[in-house]
């Protein structure tokens, strides 16, 4: 979800809904980038300290679901809230390394490369699909002077929430792997 916002649709949203200039949009997206980098460190620490790979991912996915749902249901949210939710999405979306570790622990040693490759392919496919879906949704609403209505973005964030929920439902039954055995 974070890559969809920071990589493709955050800047247009901030321009169209909050009327931020280039510097303003860059500052919000920079905050996302810093939070995303921090999230990679935090996930590893949390997984190690709690001795679980599955539950930090479930917690992060749940927070992404909550942040996306808030964006979908809140009309004209204040910029401080949007910045905070974008930052939360960035921190919580930083779990691919833990997902790779989890996948590595689920497959036999001789299939480890294939297991991690399939996991990476799934992550990259999800990023592409969510970015395309977000754009398709926003583009399906009539624009006024080339600017989509705020509601278009709300529906797209709602779709992101649905994607997060589907991901959680699919992932939840997966057996946990303990980082420390």
């Amino acid at each position: 979800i974070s890559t969809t916002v920071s990589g493709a649709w955050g800047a247009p949203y901030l321009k169209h809904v909050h009327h931020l200039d280039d510097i303003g949009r860059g500052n919000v997206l920079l905050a996302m980038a810093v939070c995303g980098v921090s999230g990679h460190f935090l996930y590893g620490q949390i997984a190690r300290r709690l001795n679980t790979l599955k539950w930090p991912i479930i917690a992060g996915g749940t927070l992404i679901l909550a942040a996306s749902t808030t964006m979908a249901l809140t009309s004209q949210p204040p910029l401080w809230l949007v910045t905070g939710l974008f930052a939360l999405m960035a921190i919580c979306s930083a779990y691919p390394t833990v997902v790779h570790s989890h996948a590595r622990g689920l497959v036999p040693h001789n299939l480890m490369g294939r297991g991690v490759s399939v996991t990476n392919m799934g992550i990259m496919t999800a990023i592409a699909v969510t970015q395309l879906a977000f754009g398709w949704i926003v583009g399906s609403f009539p624009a006024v002077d080339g600017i989509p209505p705020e509601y278009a973005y709300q529906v797209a964030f709602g779709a992101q929430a649905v994607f997060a929920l589907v991901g959680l439902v699919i992932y939840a039954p997966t057996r946990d792997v303990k980082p420390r055995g």
Side-chain angles (χ1 to χ4, degrees):
I1 302 290
S2 174
T3 307
T4 299
V5 175
S6 65
W9 293 103
Y13 169 82
L14 293 167
K15 180 179 182 178
H16 297 148
V17 176
H18 291 279
H19 312 291
L20 293 182
D21 62 9
D22 292 343
I23 300 296
R25 293 190 307 268
N27 287 336
V28 173
L29 298 177
L30 176 61
M32 282 189 79
V34 169
C35 288
V37 170
S38 301
H40 286 285
F41 173 76
L42 290 173
Y43 268 103
Q45 293 300 312
I46 291 168
R48 187 176 306 118
R49 289 180 198 269
L50 298 178
N51 199 30
T52 175
L53 294 174
K54 177 180 176 177
W55 293 106
I57 296 167
I58 295 284
T62 302
L63 289 170
I64 291 167
L65 172 61
S68 298
T69 300
T70 302
M71 290 295 297
L73 297 177
T74 308
S75 179
Q76 298 192 353
L79 184 57
W80 65 265
L81 178 61
V82 170
T83 303
L85 291 172
F86 281 9
L88 180 64
M89 287 180 200
I91 290 171
C92 294
S93 293
Y95 52 72
T97 305
V98 178
V99 170
H100 290 311
S101 296
H102 193 186
R104 183 177 153 185
L106 292 173
V107 297
H109 184 71
N110 64 321
L111 298 176
M112 182 173 35
R114 292 178 187 165
V116 173
S117 293
V118 168
T119 303
N120 194 51
M121 199 167 50
I123 290 169
M124 293 300 129
T125 300
I127 290 169
V129 168
T130 56
Q131 287 181 350
L132 290 170
F134 202 103
W136 179 79
I137 291 167
V138 170
S140 69
F141 287 83
V144 177
D145 295 326
I147 299 174
E150 178 188 13
Y151 185 70
Y153 289 101
Q154 286 179 272
V155 172
F157 280 114
Q160 299 300 298
V162 170
F163 291 153
L165 179 61
V166 169
L168 284 167
V169 167
I170 291 169
Y171 182 72
T174 307
R175 171 179 63 83
D176 195 8
V177 174
K178 306 291 184 191
R180 294 188 313 254

